[in-house]
Amino acid sequence: GAVVSQHPSWVICKSGTSVKIECRSLDFQATTMFWYRQFPKQSLMLMATSNEGSKATYEQGVEKDKFLINHASLTLSTLTVTSAHPEDSSFYICSAQGTSGFGTDTGELFFGEGSRLTVL
Amino acid sequence: GDSVTQMEGPVTLSEEAFLTINCTYTATGYPSLFWYVQYPGEGLQLLLKATKADDKGSNKGFEATYRKETTSFHLEKGSVQVSDSAVYFCALGFDTNAGKSTFGDGTTLTVKP
């Protein structure tokens, strides 16, 4: 099946620094990837849709200058949290929409393992 | 808009007990329905899915049937194990826009020995 890998799985950084999280599709090409934020004991909040070769589409209320998304290839999307502050601490999850034969006909999503960001 | 409502948790069961987690949805069109499972500290994994009315999705002893007449997709398992302890998310999605999948709030299941 389709595999999505996310790295790092956890990161601790100082306030004011920037952190990059990578999301890779390992065995398929993902033209579209999605980034979510999950608060403790809550559901996933879609932050943005990342399309290969074009600008990301951000959901209402998500600061695009704060959360930079780059989808430079068909297998890699990155989320950079710029000038991180303690309120940015959260669990960030990426997912990918598969290509033909990998669930595109059903709306199934393939998720990364998640990245826990703690900003001190 | 589309929405998913699932049973509030947390749910605590003893090992080998019967599990039901209710899920109902509202949607425009004909979505596929999913149950995803999230183990502690991990991302989500697909547990099972159903793509049309009356389909039954099943995996690892879990089952759910796509009921269009009641707009439901309840998750069931006949005998839970400690290893089933996780958060379960009901979701709906469309082939044309998987990113706009709608998730329920999640139900935390704890199974005690």
Side-chain angles (χ1 to χ4, degrees), chain A residues 34 36 38 42-44 46 59 91 93 97 104-109 111-114, chain B residues 32 34 36 38 41-44 46 49 51 89 94-95 98-101 103-105:
Chain A
F34 309 97
Y36 306 83
Q38 186 181 33
Q42 294 189 24
S43 192
L44 287 76
L46 180 65
E59 296 299 303
F91 194 55
I93 304 175
Q97 180 173 348
T104 49
D105 56 342
T106 64
E108 179 181 348
L109 294 169
F111 289 86
E113 307 94 320
Chain B
S32 295
F34 306 89
Y36 290 93
Q38 184 179 32
E42 299 182 12
L44 277 68
L46 179 67
K49 66 182 179 184
T51 59
F89 291 93
F94 296 89
D95 59 344
K100 290 298 183 182
S101 297
F103 293 86
D105 290 338

Side-chain angles (χ1 to χ4, degrees), chain A residues 39-115:
Chain A
F39 294 99
K41 301 186 187 299
Q42 294 189 24
S43 192
L44 287 76
M45 181 191 78
L46 180 65
M47 298 174 64
T49 301
S50 171
N51 297 299
E52 187 267 337
S54 64
K55 291 183 178 181
T57 303
Y58 290 83
E59 296 299 303
Q60 190 173 5
V62 178
E63 300 175 61
K64 60 182 180 181
D65 295 331
K66 174 74 170 177
F67 300 99
L68 300 179
I69 292 172
N70 183 274
H71 196 151
S73 76
L74 286 171
T75 60
L76 174 65
S77 176
T78 60
L79 167 67
T80 301
V81 183
T82 62
S83 186
H85 288 92
E87 57 266 30
D88 299 324
S89 299
S90 192
F91 194 55
Y92 293 89
I93 304 175
C94 71
S95 72
Q97 180 173 348
T99 53
S100 178
F102 281 103
T104 49
D105 56 342
T106 64
E108 179 181 348
L109 294 169
F110 302 94
F111 289 86
E113 307 94 320
S115 300

Side-chain angles (χ1 to χ4, degrees), chain B:
Chain B
D2 301 336
S3 67
V4 174
T5 302
Q6 64 182 98
M7 189 170 85
E8 287 188 21
V11 175
T12 302
L13 296 174
S14 297
E15 206 164 23
E16 299 184 2
F18 184 86
L19 169 71
T20 299
I21 301 178
N22 290 335
C23 172
T24 57
Y25 68 93
T26 58
T28 304
Y30 303 96
S32 295
L33 301 176
F34 306 89
W35 277 100
Y36 290 93
V37 59
Q38 184 179 32
Y39 297 102
E42 299 182 12
L44 277 68
Q45 304 172 26
L46 179 67
L47 179 60
L48 54 85
K49 66 182 179 184
T51 59
K52 60 183 187 297
D54 299 325
D55 270 2
K56 176 186 284 187
S58 61
N59 185 29
K60 300 180 181 179
F62 291 89
E63 292 183 342
T65 301
Y66 191 143
R67 300 289 188 196
K68 187 178 178 183
E69 63 276 14
T70 55
T71 62
S72 65
F73 193 55
H74 305 321
L75 182 69
E76 297 183 335
K77 186 174 185 180
S79 177
V80 293
Q81 305 300 312
V82 173
S83 57
D84 293 327
S85 298
V87 182
Y88 293 82
F89 291 93
C90 184
L92 64 84
F94 296 89
D95 59 344
T96 53
N97 196 348
K100 290 298 183 182
S101 297
T102 302
F103 293 86
D105 290 338
T107 301
T108 300
L109 170 66
T110 301
V111 181
K112 296 186 174 181

